Amino acid sequence: MTIELYAQRIIERCEILARYSEEPERLTRRFATPAMQQVNALVAEWMHAATMAVRQDQAGNIIGRYAALDSAGKRPQTLLLGSHLDTVRDAGKYDGILGVILALALVERLHEQGTHLPFALEVIGFADEEGMRYHHPFIGSTALAGTFALPALQLLDSDGITMASALQEFGGDPEHIQAARRDPSDLLGYCEIHIEQGPVLETEQLPVGIVTAITGQNLCEVSFRGRAGHAGTVPMSNRQDALCAAASFVLAAEQGARAIPGMVATIGQLQVQPGASNVIPGTVTLSLDLRHPDDSEREQFYQQLHKEAQKIASERQMQLEWHTCSSEQTVACSPQLTQLLTSAVKQQGYRALLLPSGAGHDAAIMAELTEICMLFVRCYKGISHHPDEAVNTADISETITVMENFLQLLAHHTQEERHDEPV
Amino acid sequence: MTIELYAQRIIERCEILARYSEEPERLTRRFATPAMQQVNALVAEWMHAATMAVRQDQAGNIIGRYAALDSAGKRPQTLLLGSHLDTVRDAGKYDGILGVILALALVERLHEQGTHLPFALEVIGFADEEGMRYHHPFIGSTALAGTFALPALQLLDSDGITMASALQEFGGDPEHIQAARRDPSDLLGYCEIHIEQGPVLETEQLPVGIVTAITGQNLCEVSFRGRAGHAGTVPMSNRQDALCAAASFVLAAEQGARAIPGMVATIGQLQVQPGASNVIPGTVTLSLDLRHPDDSEREQFYQQLHKEAQKIASERQMQLEWHTCSSEQTVACSPQLTQLLTSAVKQQGYRALLLPSGAGHDAAIMAELTEICMLFVRCYKGISHHPDEAVNTADISETITVMENFLQLLAHHTQEERHDEPV
């Protein structure tokens, strides 16, 4: 079967999986739901057909193992490939799913060719990355990486069902979820294929890009407290309009971020109190999301914006509240694996575009367990978390080849390492 | 009884009326509710005690008439005094109420002195000005002025009760609401006393101010439509962030209004879509409320802001929607009555501060029926529509005296006019 047919099959399978949803007219598939059960079952079937050994682990992750080439009694190492099979509400078909199905196709290609690699391949479909059901993301990958926080098992979903009981019902094992942790000494690394979720590859006219790091993030909640008043009776000079202060801050964040290459600043939420057309805003509360792969550069800009907010509040005689919600450090990809991915892309005749991932991924969690690398696939207009999410078949073909190059380079690399070992 | 004791009684009565509420812990008194019924009954009692002829009209307004001095068989004219007795949700004690109770005290003073004026005085407590129950303001004054829109009788409140049936239940007469209209030939005019609802009198250290006009208003809804996207993956240069566009507009409106004396511009509502901290705002919808007593100046600024919004949208490659919700012309107060009020203030030794009313009032509606004038009373920090609304007793005393001066000046004026009449 040609690579093009494999690419078509990958798209078809993503479309098939998109039918398994909790909601009739749109794709919503949360952790440990019947829709996830159906998807795991179908993926398991496809894995079996490719002669993989399939199991669902304690956290509900579906895992297929394709054996290594017989390595003369030596215990072979394992390369993990994967992404997640859960979705956000009203999701697209490819975010997460593509990484699992494309990895599976790589195994199918090996099986079709009757080939094995000098290392085992495991394809993982993580049970939860988006965190929609329990407002707690990365259930699947934290379990595998051994960083799952046990108290989360007591979280309740909107129907009052604990995570523990949902997982039990799903066929997982909440009491032994820690046993899902993998032994890092068995692993060569973890490689994740994912749609870019941004417009860079489209702009650069490239089918794939190589991720250098999963960008760190500062998230905070900012409130400007001025004074509400009647829209008709308070002269402009007597106002302490919290929305005007917030507007100055929004533009300062935009202008500041524009001046720093690679920086993104987003105010995605903004609430006006009291919020009536004839009342001057008394309080405005907004979210600030800052991302940049260089932790110190980002932290410095974060402090700069805090000072800017203080200045705006003081000039307008208002109170400022600045509450840091979270501060995530940047997670670097493995230089070695990323170098191999770079060579694999160049082998296919493409410029190797290195870019950070502004979005969070299972790979960032897996980095606590093993070496990671990530390959981004161009997506339509950079759209994600939306039904319009799309990839094109030609790009999927290119991705398959790039990944096959990568696997060959890694095989060569591990063989060399083996030869270098003292006999 | 001294003027000071009258002033104290006015404050006490406003406090008593504030206990009649639809809600246990705060003052909310909407049109034709049991709370309004209790308040009308109590005000009627006070009116009766001052020998007034009391009736509730077809629209539910409570009206007390204090007869004119015997005028030798000639049909006397009538001066209307009043304001409204309904409130907003979680209201203060004085907005509207003060104007009714203070007018009543003027009659009580005349009665105590055994005096009548050469014209009749009617004190009106309007049944609805705020429009809380049916999202339809000025039910009381439009009925009196003959501009009540009959289809409004079919409006439903949040419990599904039509205005007609609420009014019927209240003791009004929805079928003959048009009969509430007064004959303008009987009227000398309408004078409304009201708290300022703004900070000007406090700033100017004056107990009262004379209203020149009820300011016109442009109200519109503006939407900037950009493109939503992932907060981590879309570079600043690729964004069409609707909130950044809206922020530019908010500041343009503020800056523009500051540059035009007497202009106020308020963006009191602003909604961000989709409204998640990690999603770039795709659409922002906001309200714009513009007020200025000069209609052409306000209209010109309105057009200028529309152009500004177009410029912002075009520079940011976004779509703009600009929907005019309403456009109210400025209503001028009567030059003659306002001149008398001015003299009355000066007689009391105060500078006569003339100012427009940025808020809407029953007086603006009554202007379609008869000559109007308005006297503002200083209020604490300009606060209104809030439980912190407050006035001080000394200011109420001054207001009583100013109004007594006004009534005497008007009596003198009408006598002079009578003498001028051909015999």
Side-chain angles (χ1 to χ4, degrees):
Chain A
M1 205 165 105
T2 63
I3 287 184
E4 287 67 33
L5 287 174
Y6 272 98
Q8 280 173 26
R9 190 203 263 175
I10 288 167
I11 303 279
E12 277 166 28
R13 283 178 169 178
C14 289
E15 283 169 354
I16 289 167
L17 295 187
R19 291 184 208 139
Y20 297 95
S21 171
E22 297 177 60
E23 300 184 288
E25 296 295 326
R26 54 186 197 167
L27 173 53
T28 302
R29 199 164 60 225
R30 297 171 306 155
F31 175 67
T33 52
M36 272 302 290
Q37 210 140 23
Q38 291 166 315
V39 159
N40 270 10
L42 197 50
V43 170
E45 218 173 89
W46 293 333
M47 286 172 164
H48 275 301
T51 69
M52 298 177 92
V54 188
R55 66 188 179 94
Q56 187 177 294
D57 75 2
Q58 292 82 349
N61 300 311
I62 189 80
I63 304 175
R65 181 178 175 88
Y66 188 70
L69 193 67
D70 179 28
S71 49
K74 282 208 165 184
R75 190 180 172 191
Q77 288 210 289
T78 301
L79 177 69
L80 306 177
L81 296 167
S83 192
H84 60 96
L85 292 170
D86 69 319
T87 75
V88 294
R89 196 172 297 279
D90 199 15
K93 305 182 184 81
Y94 304 99
D95 175 350
I97 298 55
L98 177 70
V100 182
I101 301 304
L102 205 147
L104 174 60
L106 296 174
V107 172
E108 291 176 314
R109 293 264 299 163
L110 291 170
H111 172 60
E112 190 191 16
Q113 292 154 13
T115 321
H116 286 258
L117 296 170
F119 45 84
L121 279 179
E122 286 192 24
V123 176
I124 308 172
F126 287 114
D128 174 282
E129 187 256 10
E130 304 286 5
M132 293 295 291
R133 184 162 178 184
Y134 290 99
H135 304 289
H136 183 91
F138 302 114
I139 299 173
S141 49
T142 51
L144 228 89
T147 59
F148 178 82
L150 289 176
L153 287 167
Q154 301 317 317
L155 291 173
L156 297 173
D157 71 2
S158 54
D159 295 323
I161 300 166
T162 62
M163 188 191 294
S165 99
L167 180 54
Q168 187 84 51
E169 175 80 10
F170 190 66
D173 186 355
E175 288 192 21
H176 302 96
I177 193 167
Q178 289 171 302
R181 176 172 191 267
R182 301 300 295 265
D183 180 350
S185 68
D186 290 345
L187 304 175
L188 277 175
Y190 170 80
C191 175
E192 182 164 355
I193 303 152
H194 203 283
I195 59 167
E196 182 201 344
Q197 302 182 265
V200 176
L201 293 173
E202 200 166 65
T203 308
E204 301 284 335
Q205 298 183 292
L206 288 169
V208 292
I210 301 134
V211 176
T212 53
I214 291 122
T215 297
Q217 180 197 30
N218 292 63
L219 189 62
C220 72
E221 192 179 272
V222 183
S223 294
F224 290 94
R225 295 190 187 279
R227 200 170 53 185
H230 194 296
T233 59
V234 185
M236 295 307 285
S237 57
N238 281 51
R239 296 187 175 203
Q240 285 148 275
D241 184 327
L243 183 57
C244 291
S248 294
F249 181 73
V250 166
L251 294 177
E254 184 192 37
Q255 203 177 338
R258 276 181 175 170
I260 304 167
M263 186 72 74
V264 286
T266 307
I267 285 125
Q269 294 179 315
L270 186 147
Q271 278 101 29
V272 180
Q273 291 291 335
S277 68
N278 63 348
V279 181
I280 299 161
T283 300
V284 168
T285 301
L286 54 88
S287 62
L288 171 68
D289 178 325
L290 228 59
R291 307 199 199 193
H292 192 280
D294 183 324
D295 290 328
S296 72
E297 187 130 29
R298 193 183 62 252
E299 191 59 39
Q300 197 180 327
F301 184 51
Y302 185 69
Q303 296 307 333
Q304 178 190 325
L305 284 182
H306 188 178
K307 276 187 196 134
E308 188 69 39
Q310 286 168 327
K311 185 163 157 265
I312 291 166
S314 134
E315 281 172 1
R316 290 178 175 269
Q317 296 173 284
M318 289 185 199
Q319 283 187 290
L320 175 74
E321 282 168 34
W322 184 276
H323 171 64
T324 299
C325 302
S326 65
S327 170
E328 305 281 350
Q329 299 295 294
T330 291
V331 174
C333 290
S334 151
Q336 290 77 22
L337 294 177
T338 301
Q339 182 51 51
L340 295 181
L341 266 185
T342 303
S343 304
V345 169
K346 285 182 180 166
Q347 260 184 36
Q348 186 62 2
Y350 288 107
R351 178 160 60 90
L353 181 79
L354 295 157
L355 76 171
S357 169
H361 291 293
D362 290 307
I365 304 299
M366 294 297 283
E368 302 198 45
L369 183 74
T370 184
E371 301 282 283
I372 61 156
C373 66
M374 277 195 83
L375 187 69
F376 271 168
V377 182
R378 168 165 57 188
C379 61
Y380 170 70
K381 284 191 177 173
I383 294 167
S384 75
H385 287 190
H386 191 279
D388 289 348
E389 215 174 76
V391 292
N392 76 57
T393 320
D395 287 356
I396 301 301
S397 295
E398 297 302 304
T399 308
I400 294 170
T401 312
V402 165
M403 283 303 297
E404 288 183 341
N405 294 345
F406 169 74
L407 293 177
Q408 289 307 322
L409 288 166
L410 184 61
H412 189 69
H413 186 74
T414 51
Q415 295 296 75
E416 271 181 356
E417 279 193 342
R418 185 150 301 191
H419 290 302
D420 293 347
E421 278 174 14
V423 187
Chain B
M1 203 164 108
T2 64
I3 289 186
E4 288 66 33
L5 287 174
Y6 272 99
Q8 280 173 25
R9 188 201 265 177
I10 288 167
I11 304 277
E12 275 167 29
R13 284 179 170 178
C14 289
E15 283 170 356
I16 289 167
L17 295 186
R19 292 185 205 139
Y20 297 94
S21 171
E22 297 177 60
E23 298 183 289
E25 296 295 327
R26 53 188 196 165
L27 173 52
T28 302
R29 197 164 62 225
R30 297 170 307 153
F31 175 65
T33 53
M36 271 302 289
Q37 212 140 21
Q38 292 167 314
V39 160
N40 270 9
L42 198 49
V43 170
E45 219 172 90
W46 294 331
M47 286 171 165
H48 274 301
T51 68
M52 300 178 90
V54 187
R55 67 190 178 93
Q56 187 177 291
D57 75 2
Q58 293 82 351
N61 300 311
I62 190 81
I63 304 175
R65 182 177 174 91
Y66 188 71
L69 193 66
D70 178 28
S71 49
K74 280 207 166 187
R75 189 181 175 192
Q77 287 209 289
T78 301
L79 176 70
L80 306 178
L81 295 166
S83 192
H84 60 96
L85 291 171
D86 69 319
T87 75
V88 296
R89 195 173 298 280
D90 198 15
K93 304 181 184 82
Y94 304 99
D95 175 351
I97 295 67
L98 178 69
V100 183
I101 301 305
L102 205 148
L104 174 59
L106 296 175
V107 172
E108 290 176 317
R109 294 261 300 161
L110 291 170
H111 172 60
E112 191 189 16
Q113 293 154 11
T115 321
H116 286 260
L117 296 169
F119 45 84
L121 278 179
E122 286 192 24
V123 175
I124 308 172
F126 287 114
D128 173 282
E129 187 256 11
E130 303 286 4
M132 293 296 291
R133 182 160 180 186
Y134 290 99
H135 304 289
H136 183 89
F138 302 113
I139 298 172
S141 50
T142 52
L144 227 88
T147 60
F148 178 81
L150 289 176
L153 286 167
Q154 302 317 316
L155 291 174
L156 297 173
D157 71 2
S158 55
D159 294 322
I161 300 165
T162 63
M163 189 191 292
S165 99
L167 180 54
Q168 187 84 52
E169 174 82 10
F170 189 65
D173 186 354
E175 287 190 24
H176 302 96
I177 192 166
Q178 289 169 303
R181 178 171 189 267
R182 301 300 294 265
D183 180 351
S185 69
D186 291 344
L187 303 177
L188 277 176
Y190 170 81
C191 175
E192 183 164 353
I193 302 151
H194 203 283
I195 58 166
E196 181 200 346
Q197 303 184 265
V200 176
L201 293 174
E202 200 166 64
T203 307
E204 301 285 334
Q205 298 184 289
L206 288 169
V208 293
I210 301 135
V211 176
T212 53
I214 291 124
T215 298
Q217 179 198 34
N218 292 62
L219 189 63
C220 73
E221 191 179 273
V222 183
S223 293
F224 290 96
R225 293 189 188 281
R227 202 170 52 186
H230 195 296
T233 58
V234 184
M236 296 307 286
S237 56
N238 280 51
R239 296 186 175 203
Q240 285 148 272
D241 184 325
L243 183 58
C244 291
S248 295
F249 182 72
V250 167
L251 294 177
E254 184 192 38
Q255 202 177 342
R258 277 181 175 171
I260 304 167
M263 185 72 75
V264 287
T266 307
I267 285 123
Q269 294 180 313
L270 187 147
Q271 279 101 31
V272 180
Q273 292 287 336
S277 68
N278 62 348
V279 181
I280 299 161
T283 299
V284 168
T285 301
L286 55 89
S287 63
L288 172 68
D289 178 325
L290 228 59
R291 308 199 197 192
H292 192 280
D294 182 326
D295 290 329
S296 72
E297 187 133 29
R298 191 183 64 252
E299 192 58 41
Q300 197 179 325
F301 184 51
Y302 186 67
Q303 297 306 333
Q304 178 191 324
L305 284 182
H306 188 178
K307 277 189 196 131
E308 190 69 37
Q310 287 169 326
K311 186 165 156 262
I312 290 167
S314 135
E315 280 172 1
R316 290 177 175 270
Q317 296 174 286
M318 289 185 200
Q319 283 187 293
L320 174 74
E321 282 167 34
W322 183 277
H323 171 64
T324 299
C325 302
S326 66
S327 172
E328 305 281 351
Q329 300 294 294
T330 290
V331 175
C333 290
S334 152
Q336 289 77 22
L337 293 177
T338 301
Q339 182 51 52
L340 294 181
L341 266 184
T342 304
S343 304
V345 169
K346 285 181 180 165
Q347 262 185 33
Q348 185 63 4
Y350 289 107
R351 180 160 59 92
L353 181 79
L354 294 158
L355 76 170
S357 168
H361 291 293
D362 290 307
I365 304 299
M366 295 297 283
E368 301 198 46
L369 183 74
T370 185
E371 300 284 281
I372 62 156
C373 66
M374 278 195 83
L375 187 70
F376 271 170
V377 181
R378 168 164 57 186
C379 61
Y380 171 70
K381 283 189 179 177
I383 294 168
S384 75
H385 287 190
H386 191 280
D388 290 346
E389 217 174 76
V391 291
N392 74 58
T393 319
D395 287 356
I396 301 301
S397 294
E398 297 302 303
T399 309
I400 293 170
T401 312
V402 165
M403 283 302 298
E404 287 183 341
N405 294 346
F406 169 75
L407 293 177
Q408 290 307 324
L409 288 167
L410 184 61
H412 190 69
H413 185 75
T414 52
Q415 296 294 74
E416 272 181 357
E417 278 193 344
R418 187 153 298 192
H419 291 303
D420 292 346
E421 276 175 19
V423 185

